[in-house]
Amino acid sequence: MTPGNNGASTPEDDDPFGYLYADGQANGAQPPSGGYGYPGSVNRVRTVGQRQYGQPQAQTAAYGQVPQQQSYGQPNAHYAAPETVPGGAPTTRQSPTAPPSGGRGRGPNTKGLLIGAIAVVAAVVIGIGVAMITGDSNDGKKSDQAASTPSTAQSASPSRSSTQQSAQDGKLPTIDAKALHLEGGATTASDVKGAKADGGTYVGNFNHVGAAVTWTVDVPSTGKYTLHTGYGVPGVDATATLTINGTAQTTPMGLKNWAQAPQGDWEKGWTKTYNWIELNKGTNTIRISCEQGNQCNANLDQLWLTNGWSK
């Protein structure tokens, strides 16, 4: 090539892009009619699978003109959305699944479960502690009761419950002292008011050695019984001897001034006591006597039995 113009006779033949320059346009250069890489071939470019054979193709705008813009939201002739193709993806937008109510969307309320578990453990520990304390307390009470259990035939002041129990117990007998077998000069009397026996009659003249009363009584079974004795003293303590089925008890029968009557006042001295004894099934003999060493200044009112060793 020489510095001179040895190329094509016209700009458009010399430079295929001469139509893009001002001098080329002045000399009448025109864009190519079509071919690979030129504007005329742009309308043949399609997205894979988009071209529908047998359908009319959109027209290409003339060179130098702006193609008509499509309105927003209107179908595009050059593009077909996947959902418009048979078998395509559904067009309905799926709503996200709402998290379960009452939580933060991060699983179960572990804080609440932990608090509940701690409460259960605390309740169990408290229950065990209460059971241990109660058990120790009950054991202590049992030990105290065993230690304070008096020996057979020991006398004491009767509680109100013993009187109620004897009144409600209809299986075991009650007897007035005047109905007992009297010995040794013991006699009946009624000059001191306040005796519970029928007609206010009691057994007196008991304060000398040899005086005695004997009760022959039947019980339904062999076992422990409580003998209750109603009596009166003149404001001072008295004693007697209790004999069960021929065997005298080693401990004297206490006839104390539980009513706290003034000394010499027989009417205010009526009271009662109890003794724990053991009887055999069937007939038994209960004897109260004034023996050597006893202080027997007392009037005998009534006798009655209750089951077991009670007060």
Side-chain angles (χ1 to χ4, degrees), residues 143-157:
S143 299
D144 293 342
Q145 291 174 355
S148 62
T149 301
S151 61
T152 301
Q154 180 173 347
S155 301
S157 174

Side-chain angles (χ1 to χ4, degrees), residues 28 37 43 54 64 76 156 259-260:
N43 63 343
N76 190 330
Q260 297 181 355

Side-chain angles (χ1 to χ4, degrees), residues 148-156 242 249 251-254 273-276:
S148 62
T149 301
S151 61
T152 301
Q154 180 173 347
S155 301
L242 178 63
Q249 307 300 305
T251 303
M253 182 178 184
T273 189
Y274 67 90
N275 294 88
W276 291 345

Side-chain angles (χ1 to χ4, degrees), residues 23-46:
D23 55 351
Q25 294 176 4
N27 292 327
Q30 297 294 327
S33 59
Y36 181 81
Y38 290 95
S41 62
V42 172
N43 63 343
R44 291 192 299 272
V45 178
R46 298 287 187 273

Side-chain angles (χ1 to χ4, degrees), residues 78-118:
H78 297 282
Y79 174 75
E83 58 269 16
T84 61
V85 181
T91 59
T92 304
R93 180 173 299 175
Q94 301 295 329
S95 300
T97 303
S101 60
R104 300 183 178 179
R106 295 184 296 180
N109 190 346
T110 55
K111 183 177 181 180
L113 295 177
L114 179 60
I115 294 175
I118 293 175

